[in-house]
Amino acid sequence: MRIRPLAVDALIAVALTTVAVLLGQESVKQGWIPLDPLGYALVALVCVPVAARSRAPLTVLLVVHLAWFVYVTAGYWPVVGTFGPMLTVYTVASLRPPRTSLACAALMAALWIYAGAITEDASMASVIGQAVGFSLVLWRFGYVARRTAELARQLKREQDERARREVAEERGRIARELHDVVAHHMSVISVQAGLATFVFGSDPGTARAALGTISGTSGEALEELRRMLRVLRDEDGEQTGDVPAAPMPGLARLDEMVERVRAGGAPVELRVTGTPRPVAPGVELCAYRVVQEALTNVLKHAHGAAATVELAYERKHIEVSVINGPASAGEGVNEGANQARVRTGSGHGLIGMRERAKLYGGAISIGPLSEGGFAVRLTLPTSARAAARGDDATE
């Protein structure tokens, strides 16, 4: 149960007043005059204002020290009135800059020494040591409390800023996912719809096949969108029932993607070299999305051109390539043409490829081939602790 600071300060003020009154009963035994109505009133003025110390620390300190000065000058036992001034010095040190709090600590030390100076047979060396020692200790405790509070606030600000950056990064990731899903599937649907319309009267069988591809593609797109929305609801703390989440697309589903694009009218071939093995889900998704984006561009900009998707499992990395056009898979990318295109502009899909490769410490090259055609090559490390590094992407 949390208690309001004002209520806590009020309880502290009551406790200090009670202790001071009980201690004041020992004044006569200690050789001081007993507390009378004026003495009790001064004790209350020394202790009760502490209830407002958090709201007006400097004002409360001055009021308390003034009341303590009058209390000591009237000849009462000084020890009874020390609790309020000590607490106010700590409070100012915990809430105000060091220069101000040090001056307040010096004020308490001066009044402490004054109380010893007007007392008969007082050991001034002991009085001065107590005045300086108590004042510095209280100031130091308050200063440490203030620094701790400042560091806690700074940590909270840094955590909030980090959370905002993570939210922005997550939004970017979701935007890339949506772009890849919608762009690829809608491109296939658009091509198939055009084909069905063109052959609807002359070749009903082809039209039906195109409509079937549209149905399957749209269903898959909806399923991927549902999966992403389900993930978002889970992250927001919402329950999604007992319906299991569909697995993320991975390398095992490349053949389905190739078949879907092939049905869209683009002759696509899938080649797998090396020994297939499990890799991190994020790496699989990255490779899948890059191939998806590359084949989407084939449907959009080179419809009907042959394309080859190659997946190579190496010892420490995997490599995926999407090549379309007459050039062979072994030709290199024309870097000069790529750099010229970078300066003139780029599409969001190609930018998304670069960001994905960079996220997983991979390297990607994108651009026209020297003998014609276009290629996208992505290399991704499969080690769990692959260091993130910049890519060599060109467009």
Side-chain angles (χ1 to χ4, degrees):
M1 181 177 63
R2 300 185 63 181
I3 304 177
R4 293 182 179 180
L6 184 60
V8 174
D9 290 340
L11 292 174
I12 292 175
V14 171
L16 290 181
T17 304
T18 302
V19 172
V21 169
L22 293 176
L23 186 61
Q25 306 301 318
E26 304 295 323
S27 297
V28 176
K29 294 181 180 181
Q30 299 296 327
W32 298 86
I33 62 175
L35 290 179
D36 53 16
L38 176 61
Y40 284 116
L42 291 173
V43 168
L45 285 176
V46 170
C47 297
V48 172
V50 169
R53 67 189 182 99
S54 298
R55 295 192 173 185
L58 285 175
T59 301
V60 169
L61 181 139
L62 294 175
V63 170
V64 167
H65 279 73
L66 178 61
W68 189 37
F69 172 77
V70 175
Y71 175 87
V72 170
T73 304
Y76 298 105
W77 187 19
V79 174
V80 176
T82 57
F83 303 115
M86 293 171 70
L87 181 58
T88 57
V89 168
Y90 166 82
T91 302
V92 172
S94 65
L95 297 176
R96 293 293 182 266
R99 182 179 299 180
T100 302
S101 58
L102 278 173
C104 294
L107 174 62
M108 189 188 84
L111 286 180
W112 198 299
I113 294 173
Y114 167 74
I118 65 174
T119 301
E120 297 180 2
D121 302 326
S123 174
M124 290 307 297
S126 175
V127 169
I128 293 174
Q130 292 175 8
V132 175
F134 280 116
S135 299
L136 288 179
V137 168
L138 290 168
W139 176 84
R140 179 61 181 175
F141 282 165
Y143 175 79
V144 170
R146 179 172 177 269
R147 287 293 300 157
T148 302
E150 289 177 349
L151 291 175
R153 288 192 293 269
Q154 180 180 354
L155 178 61
K156 180 65 167 56
R157 289 194 297 269
E158 292 175 354
Q159 290 175 338
D160 292 342
E161 179 62 27
R162 188 180 302 112
R164 283 193 291 269
R165 288 198 301 268
E166 290 175 353
V167 168
E169 292 172 359
E170 183 66 11
R171 286 176 177 173
R173 184 188 68 81
I174 293 171
R176 289 193 296 271
E177 291 290 317
L178 288 173
H179 171 273
D180 293 343
V181 172
V182 174
H184 174 76
H185 290 87
M186 291 306 295
S187 295
V188 174
I189 291 173
S190 176
V191 171
Q192 292 295 311
L195 175 62
T197 301
F198 181 74
V199 300
F200 189 80
S202 59
D203 191 350
T206 302
R208 281 194 296 270
L211 292 176
T213 301
I214 291 174
S215 176
T217 301
S218 60
E220 184 175 343
L222 289 174
E223 182 57 37
E224 288 206 43
L225 292 176
R226 288 193 192 98
R227 177 183 60 80
M228 293 176 60
L229 294 176
R230 189 179 296 115
V231 170
L232 291 177
R233 293 192 186 101
D234 289 342
E235 291 176 352
D236 292 337
E238 298 182 14
Q239 299 297 325
T240 57
D242 298 329
V243 179
M248 290 190 300
L251 298 177
R253 297 180 59 184
L254 285 180
D255 54 347
E256 298 178 15
M257 184 197 308
V258 167
E259 184 62 32
R260 183 169 57 247
V261 175
R262 189 181 296 127
V268 181
E269 179 184 359
L270 174 63
R271 300 173 184 171
V272 180
T273 59
T275 303
R277 66 180 186 276
V279 297
V283 174
E284 283 206 43
L285 181 61
C286 176
Y288 182 91
R289 292 304 188 200
V290 168
V291 173
Q292 187 179 60
E293 178 63 29
L295 291 180
T296 299
N297 289 336
V298 171
L299 286 174
K300 287 182 178 179
H301 308 298
H303 181 60
T308 302
V309 178
E310 292 188 349
L311 169 61
Y313 288 91
E314 305 295 344
R315 189 167 66 89
K316 293 184 178 180
H317 66 276
I318 62 171
E319 181 176 326
V320 290
S321 304
V322 179
I323 305 169
N324 75 283
S328 65
E331 294 293 338
V333 178
N334 186 336
E335 299 295 340
N338 294 340
Q339 295 173 2
R341 292 183 63 186
V342 169
R343 290 190 290 269
T344 59
S346 61
H348 294 293
L350 301 184
I351 294 175
M353 291 185 192
R354 294 184 59 195
E355 293 301 319
R356 287 183 183 279
K358 185 183 299 184
L359 178 63
Y360 291 97
I364 187 170
S365 59
I366 307 171
L369 297 170
S370 56
E371 299 298 327
F374 202 85
V376 175
R377 290 192 178 92
L378 171 68
T379 302
L380 292 172
T382 55
S383 60
R385 301 182 60 184
R389 61 184 182 273
D391 59 32
D392 59 353
T394 54
E395 302 174 11

